[in-house]
Amino acid sequence: EINEIITTHISLVKDKICILRGDTIVFKINALQGLSPKLTLLFELFRPYGIGKGQMDDLLKLINGKTGSQLITPDYRLINNRKEILVSKREALSENYFEISEVEDFSKYSENISAEIKSVKKDFSIPSSSNIACLDADKLSYPMIIRKWKHGDSFYPLGMKHKKKLSDYFVDNKYSFFRKENCRILESEGKIVWIINDRIDNRFKILPSTKNALIIEVQNSVDKE
C-alpha cells in the first residue's frame, strides 16, 4: 500500500510538470528545481528514461546547466532547451537532429555540405549567396545542432534588430509547402544561427571586430520555388 501511495504521488507530480509534445517528453526546469525531496523525485521521474543512481549528478548538472547541454542514455537523449528538459527516443531524434561537435561534422551530415574556418583579414569578402553562411566563429558554441524547424522557433534575420517567428518569415518569403516541410536550421545554444540555404541570424554576422569566420556552403541545394 505504501508503494501504491508513492507511485500515485510520482504520477501526480509528473502530470503537473511534464507534457507530451509530439514524440518529445517535456519537463519544466523551474518545476524540477523546486521538487522536494528533490533527489528521490528526480530519480523516480527519470528512471524510465535510463537514468540510474550513478547518473544523478549528471542529471542535476543538465537541469542546472546551459541550453544545449545533453545527457544520453542507451535509449533516450535528454536536452536542456531554454527552460525545458526535452526527452526523446534516440531513434526519433536521429531523424530530426544531427549533432555538430566539430567543423568536420558538417560533411558527415551531408556530402553536399562543406565547412571551414578562415581568418578575417582586410581583404576578406563575405559571400552573397544564400547557400553560403558566413558566421562569426567565436560566437558559436559546440555542439551545434542541425534540426527541423518547429512552431515557436524565432530568430533575428540578418539586418534586423527585432525577433521574428520562423512561421511568419516563411509566409513573408513565400515558402512553398514542401520547402517549409524540408527546412532545416542550424542551432547553437538554443539560438538559431542559420536557416540553411537562406538567411543567417543577425547575432552571428561578421563584424569589423570578427577575427575568425566559419564558412558553410551547401552544394546542389533544393529549388526554392
Side-chain angles (χ1 to χ4, degrees), residues 29 67 80-84 147 150 153 187 190-191:
I29 286 181
T67 292
N80 182 314
N81 183 56
R82 301 180 181 90
K83 298 179 180 180
E84 301 172 334
R147 64 170 175 84
K150 60 181 184 290
D153 277 338
E187 182 182 86
K191 299 174 184 176

Side-chain angles (χ1 to χ4, degrees), residues 118-162:
K118 283 189 175 181
S119 297
V120 177
K121 300 177 181 179
K122 290 183 179 181
D123 59 346
F124 184 82
S125 178
I126 299 175
S128 59
S129 172
S130 60
N131 297 335
I132 302 175
C134 193
L135 308 162
D136 189 324
D138 297 318
K139 292 181 180 178
L140 300 168
S141 297
Y142 294 88
M144 290 191 284
I145 291 173
I146 295 176
R147 64 170 175 84
K148 278 189 174 183
W149 80 281
K150 60 181 184 290
H151 288 284
D153 277 338
S154 60
F155 79 130
Y156 292 81
L158 179 65
M160 296 179 62
K161 295 182 179 180
H162 301 290

Side-chain angles (χ1 to χ4, degrees), residues 54-70:
Q55 290 179 294
M56 289 304 295
D57 285 343
D58 292 332
L59 178 61
L60 289 171
K61 289 179 182 178
L62 178 71
I63 292 171
N64 297 312
K66 63 182 182 179
T67 292
S69 53
Q70 302 182 39

Side-chain angles (χ1 to χ4, degrees), residues 45 56 64 85 91 107 132 204:
L45 287 170
M56 289 304 295
N64 297 312
I85 297 296
E91 294 82 1
S107 60
I132 302 175
F204 299 93

Side-chain angles (χ1 to χ4, degrees), residues 15 30-31 52 67 88 175 186 198:
D15 288 343
N30 60 351
T67 292
S88 293
Y175 266 57
L186 177 65
D198 198 343

Side-chain angles (χ1 to χ4, degrees), residues 16-46:
K16 288 181 179 179
I17 67 173
C18 174
I19 60 172
L20 187 63
R21 189 182 296 155
D23 294 328
T24 303
I25 302 152
V26 182
F27 288 91
K28 301 173 185 176
I29 286 181
N30 60 351
L32 292 174
Q33 293 171 333
L35 290 174
S36 180
K38 182 180 289 186
L39 290 179
T40 299
L41 287 173
L42 286 177
F43 175 73
E44 293 297 332
L45 287 170
F46 287 91

Side-chain angles (χ1 to χ4, degrees), residues 1 17 31 63 77 83-84 88 100 114 128 133 155 168 180 183 192 200 218-219 225:
E1 289 176 345
I17 67 173
I63 292 171
R77 179 175 293 179
K83 298 179 180 180
E84 301 172 334
S88 293
I100 303 291
S114 60
S128 59
F155 79 130
D168 294 336
K180 185 170 69 172
C183 179
I192 292 178
I200 70 168
V218 181
Q219 300 288 346
E225 295 299 324

